[in-house]
Amino acid sequence: MNERRIDEDMVRYFIWAVANYFSITTSIDSEAGTPYLVDKLQYLDYTGVIGVSGNQKGAVYVTLDTDLVEYLLDVYYPNLKYANEADREIIRADLTGEITNTIAGNVRNFLGEGFLISVPVVFRSPGETMHLQRGIPGIAFPISWNNFNCVLVVALETSSQEDN
């Protein structure tokens, strides 16, 4: 019988990728809280999702509060404070997608070409709960950064193409 769950090394790669994103982008370290298993996710204000195929299948989710996204925009992109609200909304979504893509892309650098990632999809559904893609259970990692919170969810399993 083949084990189809993600392994500890992959989990470490994702935790490192989040820590790396915040420390390089902001010079402020993040901290991962105690992980927990989930089969559904309660979204914060902005959520980025990247589909994964190849050696693994499933998805990676990053869900963030508006306050965290706004802080990053105001501090690290100060010229955007003059944008109107409609444009800021688009920029918030873009930043959420960029964060999600950077995290998944950094993990891909470790796992190689067999870890195929999609373009991020970003949506706003604060407080909504949704079952994870394809019923693959996930591991949720609460992340604390600069007194803000977000959650990384890794819902992956080994693809059946590796079973052959």
Side-chain angles (χ1 to χ4, degrees), residues 43-47 64 66 89 92-93 122-126 128:
Y43 298 114
L44 300 176
D45 299 320
Y46 292 88
T47 301
L64 311 132
T66 299
E89 183 64 25
R92 285 185 209 107
V122 177
F123 54 93
R124 275 188 53 89
S125 293
E128 293 291 319

Side-chain angles (χ1 to χ4, degrees), residues 54-76:
N55 294 339
Q56 288 79 30
K57 69 175 183 176
V60 175
Y61 305 77
V62 177
T63 188
L64 311 132
D65 281 330
T66 299
D67 291 343
L68 186 151
V69 178
E70 279 294 320
Y71 182 88
L72 289 172
L73 289 176
D74 289 344
V75 172
Y76 300 103

Side-chain angles (χ1 to χ4, degrees), residues 129-151:
T129 301
M130 183 176 175
H131 288 277
L132 300 181
Q133 176 181 321
R134 298 183 193 155
I136 299 170
I139 303 171
F141 299 91
I143 308 292
S144 178
W145 170 80
N146 198 29
N147 296 316
F148 296 106
N149 298 302
C150 61
V151 179

Side-chain angles (χ1 to χ4, degrees), residues 109-123:
N109 289 337
F110 281 107
L111 297 177
E113 294 178 9
F115 187 79
L116 306 174
I117 60 174
S118 71
V119 173
V121 174
V122 177
F123 54 93

